[in-house]
């Protein structure tokens, strides 16, 4: 029976943690995603990896791409569109305020 290499196990665990952290951040950045969606997605990934023993990268690929897929699956299209419009309006307002500050020197 082969012995487990604790160094490899620790590196693998750290890589899993990094994948999960990036996935959570990228998912939270998707339009319309709230805390409940992030928690549900993390639970799904965690359960799948615990059941299969797979690394999340092996099972789901890039955390960035998977976050987009999960958001499309879990967030209703109309909710995501409302969030996109809201974010665009906030960005435009921020841009106008920045220009006004630049002009006034404030």
């Amino acid at each position: 029976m082969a012995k487990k290499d604790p160094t490899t196990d620790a590196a693998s665990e750290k890589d899993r943690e990094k994948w999960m952290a990036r996935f959570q951040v990228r998912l939270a950045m998707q339009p319309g995603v709230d805390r409940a969606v992030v928690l549900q997605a993390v639970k799904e990934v965690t359960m799948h990896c615990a059941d299969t023993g797979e690394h999340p990268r092996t099972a789901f690929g890039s955390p960035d791409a998977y976050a987009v897929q999960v958001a499309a699956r879990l967030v209703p299209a109309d909710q995501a569109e409302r969030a996109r419009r809201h974010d665009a309006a906030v960005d435009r307002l921020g841009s106008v305020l920045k220009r006004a500050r630049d002009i006034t020197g404030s």
Side-chain angles (χ1 to χ4, degrees):
M1 180 152 94
K3 286 186 177 180
K4 284 187 173 182
D5 181 357
T7 308
T8 304
D9 287 348
S12 178
E13 183 58 31
K14 186 157 185 84
D15 189 47
R16 283 178 205 272
E17 290 172 6
K18 286 174 67 176
W19 190 98
M20 287 297 290
R22 184 169 181 106
F23 170 65
Q24 290 176 57
V25 168
R26 295 299 185 184
L27 181 58
M29 293 172 59
Q30 299 303 307
V33 170
D34 59 13
R35 185 172 187 267
V37 170
V38 173
L39 292 174
Q40 179 181 349
V42 167
K43 182 179 177 181
E44 289 173 2
V45 169
T46 302
M47 287 178 60
H48 174 85
C49 292
D51 291 346
T52 64
E54 287 182 292
H55 186 285
R57 184 174 312 284
T58 304
F60 304 105
S62 157
D64 298 349
Y66 191 60
V68 171
Q69 291 173 10
V70 168
R73 179 172 52 91
L74 297 179
V75 177
D78 62 328
Q79 181 179 334
E81 185 54 36
R82 274 194 310 275
R84 278 187 200 90
R85 284 194 310 267
H86 176 268
D87 291 348
V90 169
D91 288 346
R92 283 192 301 273
L93 179 60
S95 178
V96 168
L97 291 174
K98 182 184 180 312
R99 278 189 247 142
R101 281 192 302 270
D102 291 346
I103 291 170
T104 62
S106 304

